[in-house]
Amino acid sequence: MTTKSILESFTQKGILPEEQAILIAEYERTKSFSIHRELRAILYLGITLLTTGLGILIYKNIDTIGHQAIIALIAVSILACFYYLFKHAQPFSKGIIKNTEPFSEYVLILGCTLFLLLEGYLQYQYEFFGTRYGIAIFIPTVLFFLCAYRFDNRAVLSMAITGLASWLGLTISPLSVLEKNDFTAPGIIITSIVLGVLLVVISWLSEKSDWKSHFRFTYILFGGNLAAIAGLAGLFNNDPKIIYFLITAALCTFLIQTARKTQSLLFLLMGVIYGYIAVTYAAFIFLPDSILAGLSIFYFLFTSVGVLLFLLNVKKILGLKK
């Protein structure tokens, strides 16, 4: 059903005068159409293609261009990016900074990506950092944190958090946190829990102090997933299990409270799913056999009903529906 057919239906039924229907149709025909998201996607794609193209160009012409020329080209490009950023940057603020320049965000991401390209090139060609790979990761991590707070950019903040996790020997991307980390190693589990809880605490402090409180979502997304998965891995594989259960339960409670406060379905699902897995496993581990025999018959039946009730009342839980 189109706008034209709806207006014709209203005029035929006498609900809407024909003159107003003409005005509404004219407004719908000539009104502006936002292509903001499409432009953002094109710009992100452009940055990706540009950096990829530079890498291919350098690889295919490395013998004729020369290493020094390539390094100089990348370094000059980085300096140009940051010169543009500082020239057009708004004053620092603890809250959201509204950039008047539409390309600042993309120039910042381009500059940070080129910095990683330069560092990788120096390490590959000249072994600039030798075997001290930690320094090679630590330097861009610090730079990205500074840039994220100075230019108020959550994409660069995500790069900084990923760099921090890599410096500690972890993979923190939501799509690879379970696949790329070896959670059978106790050291990895403890490190993951500490880092995840630290990120969650930073998010809480950001909100309490009103210091970049809009970064809270990014910190909780990375920290919550990492700490919860590590807590479950510790619950499954290590002792004392009660400690890992309490950590996971406390984290899930925090996620659910945060979801209700911010009306975030993502945080609610994280808290409920991780909490359900932890409670189910703990029930079959900690309860005595006499209770477990009766519980095992009805547990999944009752919890299935609970899932249905949860899905039916999810808006009410989040406070979206009174």
Side-chain angles (χ1 to χ4, degrees), residues 32 53 74 76 87 89 91 128 132 160 188 205 234 280-281 293 299 312:
S32 301
I74 300 173
V76 169
K87 183 179 180 181
F128 189 78
R132 294 169 293 182
I188 292 292
L205 291 175
T280 301
Y281 185 83
Y299 183 81
L312 291 173

Side-chain angles (χ1 to χ4, degrees), residues 11 18 45-46 63 132 165 191 214 273:
T11 52
E18 188 172 351
L45 181 63
D63 294 333
R132 294 169 293 182
T191 304
H214 54 290
I273 292 174

Side-chain angles (χ1 to χ4, degrees), residues 16-43:
L16 188 69
E18 188 172 351
E19 294 78 10
Q20 292 187 9
I22 294 173
L23 292 175
I24 293 173
E26 181 65 16
Y27 170 77
E28 289 292 330
R29 190 180 63 82
T30 59
K31 73 177 182 180
S32 301
F33 176 73
S34 175
I35 55 173
H36 179 70
R37 292 184 178 179
E38 288 79 2
L39 286 176
R40 284 174 63 92
I42 291 173
L43 285 170

Side-chain angles (χ1 to χ4, degrees), residues 267-279:
F267 293 158
L268 181 64
L269 290 176
M270 287 169 57
V272 170
I273 292 174
Y274 291 137
Y276 178 78
I277 295 173
V279 169

Side-chain angles (χ1 to χ4, degrees), residues 81-276:
C81 288
F82 281 94
Y83 172 77
Y84 176 88
L85 289 169
F86 280 102
K87 183 179 180 181
H88 298 92
Q90 299 296 316
F92 177 78
S93 170
K94 294 193 299 181
I96 297 176
I97 299 176
K98 295 182 180 179
N99 289 314
T100 56
E101 292 294 324
F103 301 110
S104 296
E105 180 180 356
Y106 311 101
V107 173
L108 176 59
I109 295 174
L110 177 62
C112 292
T113 307
L114 288 175
F115 184 83
L116 289 176
L117 181 63
L118 175 63
E119 193 181 41
Y121 192 92
L122 289 173
Q123 177 64 19
Y124 177 78
Q125 188 62 38
Y126 298 106
E127 296 185 352
F128 189 78
F129 299 100
T131 57
R132 294 169 293 182
Y133 302 115
I135 298 177
I137 299 174
F138 184 75
I139 291 175
T141 298
V142 173
L143 175 65
F144 293 166
F145 269 116
L146 292 175
C147 290
Y149 277 84
R150 174 59 186 87
F151 300 109
D152 193 34
N153 191 292
R154 278 175 279 193
V156 177
L157 177 66
S158 300
M159 295 170 67
I161 295 174
T162 304
L164 177 62
S166 300
W167 185 60
L168 295 172
L170 301 171
T171 299
I172 198 172
S173 169
L175 296 179
S176 59
V177 62
L178 190 59
E179 180 183 354
K180 300 291 181 63
N181 292 317
D182 181 13
F183 281 114
T184 58
I188 292 292
I189 291 176
I190 299 298
T191 304
S192 301
I193 290 176
V194 170
L195 177 60
V197 171
L198 176 64
L199 294 176
V200 172
V201 170
I202 292 174
S203 74
W204 180 76
L205 291 175
S206 298
E207 185 190 27
K208 290 297 179 184
S209 62
D210 198 22
W211 184 279
K212 297 294 180 186
S213 58
H214 54 290
F215 282 178
R216 191 183 189 198
F217 177 88
T218 306
Y219 280 118
I220 294 180
L221 180 62
F222 282 99
N225 276 306
L226 182 64
I229 291 175
L232 290 176
L235 180 63
F236 296 156
N237 300 311
N238 297 340
D239 292 318
K241 296 185 181 299
I242 187 65
I243 299 297
Y244 292 105
F245 172 73
L246 292 176
I247 292 173
T248 308
L251 184 64
C252 292
T253 303
F254 174 80
L255 288 172
I256 293 172
Q257 289 180 342
T258 303
R260 287 175 54 82
K261 188 175 182 180
T262 60
Q263 298 180 337
S264 169
L265 179 60
L266 176 61
F267 293 158
L268 181 64
L269 290 176
M270 287 169 57
V272 170
I273 292 174
Y274 291 137
Y276 178 78

